Amino acid sequence: MPNKISKVFYGTLIHSLSLTNLEILHNTLLGIDISGKIAFLEKNVLDEKTLNDIISQWEFPEQEVIKLSKRQFLMPGFVDTHTHAPQYPNAGTGMDLPLLDWLNKYTFPLEQSYSSLSFAEKVYPIVVNNLLRSGTTTAVYFATIHLESSKYLARLVKEKGQRGFIGKVNMDRNSPDNYIESLDNSVKSTEEFIKYVLNLEKEEGKENETRLVYPIITPRFAISCTSQLMDSLGLLAKKYDMPIQSHLSENISEIKFISELFPHLPDYTTVYDHHGLLNERTIMAHGIHLSSKELKLIKERNIGISHCPTSNFAICSGICNVRQLLDEGIKVGLGTDLSGGYSKSILNAIRNANIASRVVFMTSSKVDDKPLNKSSPHLTLPELTYLATMGGAELVNLDKIVGNFLIGKEFDALLIDPDAYKSPLDIFDDLDDVERIFEKFIFLGDERNLKSVYVKGKKVSGTDLKGVNLHERELLKNLSKLDSGNCHVCNSNS
């Protein structure tokens, strides 16, 4: 017997069926069951009698149907496939240095602060609240090397109702003296973290349901991990069937350093493969400077690339040729890469991905001696939408669970209101149909237009959710006090 219906929506739905097929459904009735799954989707419901007949079959009261206005629409929630939760306080600052110098001057000192659990408790609620408020229903997080703070982030993400992949970071070389692990401690604490996160669902007796929070193996990058550590992490990934995330070919100086550390291996991608860290559940951030040989290996291992254009521009790492990745059949999603990326919003990542694809086309006639795909010189609106939703779901291997509105999937969604108070969108009735309004939202909209944010059928954020950010002002006040004394990144003597 089907589950009882908890919510029914009526109006316009917009979602991706494939990389190039963006489906816009008008006058559509969508039902969510009590487990958060899409129970039914009825298209072209044009009159009140048909609507009532359908919902009566599901024993759902007509007066409780959420009827969208003419301009409102539902779309899938955004998937941020690469972000650094502890770096959030640095967002919008420190864009004057390239990657390796940037890490040493700004990032490592801030991340070391999370050795204090109380510091994590002041920052992480703000991070998760703000990502949810920006429409990120699934996030792939780097935490820090600190076990207790990483546990807290995992627990918090679950409590807030976001889907999350949480990685306790691993670093046992080429790191500051006060922000580094021993090989033994790194492996032991990572295994403890994995067990802790896996047990979060069991504590509530929900182990048979789709979990919200997953652990993910997280070697920071090959520069900061010895071969012994990477080997051990590869074995842990196999032992617990864990996903893996790291950084790959973000910066030219980084690649040069890798070649010095691993002279016996031909390239950066092979370094990870040599240590058992590349498979269909691996997400590699950036992938800007990849050779044809590396692209072939990435395709063979079926790993995904998290495209982080905002960060790539901000710290001058380079421009990823996403069109080439897609033409090679490589999975691609979008990432904000806080705080190399200055914005928490996937909408911003979409816009910068669009610009990056145009820059690649305008500045190159060939890449690796292959002509560019002239039939599509830049990423299209359907492709950009796909990368932000279904593409991300593919990277985290949840594409059978979320990413669009197919029956049986879980309802991770955004209710977009173009007419919201102080909306950045100007709508002209004589000109703007739903397709144009959607495009305006993608390129002009922001969190003011996110009336409701749903994860697994439950409203977790949005402009109409009262109290979703209670205590946030107090948290910020406490953080500013801490900054004046104990935060390493704000201490001129650090």
Side-chain angles (χ1 to χ4, degrees):
M1 184 175 178
N3 283 336
K4 184 178 179 181
I5 299 300
S6 65
K7 292 182 183 67
V8 175
F9 295 87
Y10 177 71
T12 300
L13 278 63
I14 302 175
H15 67 159
S16 296
L17 295 179
S18 71
L19 182 63
T20 57
N21 186 359
L22 182 67
E23 183 176 45
I24 300 178
L25 301 173
H26 303 276
N27 305 306
T28 298
L29 203 59
L30 179 76
I32 315 301
D33 68 22
I34 57 174
S35 72
K37 292 183 179 180
I38 299 171
F40 65 86
L41 188 151
E42 298 287 347
K43 304 175 184 179
N44 297 315
V45 180
L46 300 176
D47 58 80
E48 200 75 18
K49 182 181 183 303
T50 305
L51 186 152
N52 289 333
D53 287 345
I54 293 171
I55 63 174
S56 66
Q57 296 173 18
W58 294 88
E59 300 179 351
F60 190 84
E62 188 272 340
Q63 65 271 21
E64 293 186 20
V65 174
I66 301 170
K67 295 182 178 179
L68 278 58
S69 71
K70 181 181 178 181
R71 292 175 175 175
Q72 291 176 341
F73 57 88
L74 285 171
M75 68 174 294
F78 296 133
V79 181
D80 187 344
T81 59
H82 183 70
T83 195
H84 294 260
Q87 295 179 26
Y88 188 82
N90 277 357
T93 68
M95 290 179 282
D96 57 326
L97 294 173
L99 176 66
L100 299 182
D101 295 329
W102 174 85
L103 286 169
N104 287 317
K105 182 174 180 179
Y106 300 116
T107 303
F108 291 154
L110 174 60
E111 290 193 9
Q112 194 279 330
S113 300
Y114 293 82
S115 60
S116 164
L117 180 58
S118 64
F119 186 83
E121 290 171 341
K122 291 174 172 62
V123 176
Y124 284 156
I126 297 172
V127 179
V128 180
N129 278 343
N130 274 295
L131 263 66
L132 282 170
R133 198 165 60 189
S134 299
T136 298
T137 52
T138 300
V140 184
Y141 289 108
F142 272 60
T144 62
I145 66 174
H146 310 106
L147 178 60
E148 294 308 315
S149 292
S150 300
K151 286 181 178 179
Y152 172 71
L153 177 60
R155 193 164 64 247
L156 179 71
V157 168
K158 181 177 178 296
E159 290 170 356
K160 295 286 185 181
Q162 189 182 46
R163 291 186 199 274
F165 291 76
I166 319 297
K168 190 211 81 66
V169 173
N170 302 101
M171 301 161 58
D172 72 335
R173 69 165 171 180
N174 294 319
S175 303
D177 291 341
N178 64 349
Y179 190 48
I180 192 169
E181 307 168 288
S182 68
L183 169 63
D184 184 60
N185 182 64
S186 185
V187 176
K188 286 183 177 179
S189 61
T190 298
E191 185 161 22
E192 182 179 341
F193 178 75
I194 291 169
K195 292 177 179 178
Y196 176 82
V197 178
L198 291 177
N199 282 329
L200 283 176
E201 308 288 339
K202 293 181 181 178
E203 291 175 1
E204 297 182 3
K206 295 182 178 180
E207 62 267 32
N208 294 324
E209 296 183 17
T210 305
R211 64 172 46 249
L212 283 180
V213 179
Y214 303 77
I216 182 168
I217 299 290
T218 306
R220 183 174 209 110
F221 59 171
I223 287 175
S224 64
C225 297
T226 60
S227 282
Q228 296 95 320
L229 178 55
M230 286 191 285
D231 283 338
S232 298
L233 294 176
L235 292 174
L236 278 181
K238 290 179 181 178
K239 179 178 179 180
Y240 292 97
D241 190 25
M242 286 291 100
I244 300 163
Q245 65 174 342
S246 193
H247 299 86
L248 175 66
S249 294
E250 179 179 359
N251 172 280
I252 296 297
S253 296
E254 167 203 20
I255 296 168
K256 183 175 183 294
F257 197 179
I258 289 291
S259 67
E260 294 169 358
L261 292 172
F262 301 94
H264 56 294
L265 296 173
D267 53 58
Y268 200 164
T269 305
T270 303
V271 170
Y272 289 119
D273 193 49
H274 179 77
H275 295 94
L277 293 169
L278 295 189
N279 59 48
E280 71 281 356
R281 301 190 71 191
T282 299
I283 300 170
M284 285 290 166
H286 304 291
I288 300 170
H289 310 284
L290 297 168
S291 67
S292 296
K293 182 180 178 182
E294 288 178 286
L295 290 172
K296 182 179 179 182
L297 179 58
I298 288 168
K299 171 62 177 174
E300 287 175 354
R301 297 291 183 266
N302 196 26
I303 75 169
I305 297 294
S306 175
H307 178 40
C308 305
T310 307
S311 170
N312 297 343
F313 282 130
I315 56 175
C316 297
S317 295
I319 302 174
C320 181
N321 186 349
V322 174
R323 172 65 63 203
Q324 182 182 24
L325 297 178
L326 295 174
D327 286 349
E328 296 281 352
I330 292 169
K331 298 180 295 186
V332 181
L334 295 180
T336 57
D337 193 25
L338 285 166
S339 65
Y342 51 81
S343 172
K344 63 185 180 292
S345 174
I346 285 292
L347 282 171
N348 188 280
I350 291 172
R351 295 160 191 170
N352 278 307
N354 176 56
I355 294 169
S357 72
R358 293 168 185 264
V359 172
V360 168
F361 180 77
M362 289 188 294
T363 57
S364 304
S365 59
K366 291 183 178 182
V367 176
D368 279 354
D369 296 323
K370 293 182 179 180
L372 284 175
N373 184 347
K374 296 289 185 179
S375 65
S376 185
H378 54 79
L379 296 175
T380 64
L381 179 63
E383 289 170 329
L384 291 164
T385 305
Y386 186 90
L387 296 183
T389 56
M390 273 297 294
E394 287 178 346
L395 258 66
V396 297
N397 287 276
L398 292 180
D399 49 306
K400 305 300 183 186
I401 307 295
V402 296
N404 57 20
F405 295 135
L406 298 185
I407 294 173
K409 287 194 173 185
E410 295 182 0
F411 186 69
D412 288 12
L414 312 177
L415 199 170
I416 307 302
D417 183 8
D419 295 318
Y421 178 63
K422 292 189 176 180
S423 171
L425 310 182
D426 292 311
I427 309 299
F428 300 89
D429 286 333
D430 293 339
L431 298 173
D432 293 330
D433 56 13
V434 171
E435 289 87 347
R436 281 172 57 93
I437 291 172
F438 175 72
E439 187 172 10
K440 284 189 172 185
F441 167 71
I442 291 297
F443 289 105
L444 298 173
D446 61 31
E447 61 195 37
R448 288 171 289 183
N449 300 114
L450 272 62
K451 181 177 176 65
S452 303
V453 178
Y454 297 91
V455 175
K456 205 174 181 179
K458 179 183 177 182
K459 188 185 294 186
V460 293
S461 191
T463 59
D464 66 341
L465 186 58
K466 295 179 180 178
V468 70
N469 293 306
L470 287 177
H471 313 306
E472 197 163 288
R473 186 170 297 175
E474 188 65 28
L475 286 167
L476 283 166
K477 187 193 302 181
N478 290 336
L479 181 60
S480 66
K481 291 178 183 176
L482 193 63
D483 280 348
S484 65
N486 298 328
C487 178
H488 293 271
V489 79
C490 301
N491 189 330
S492 60
N493 295 321
S494 64

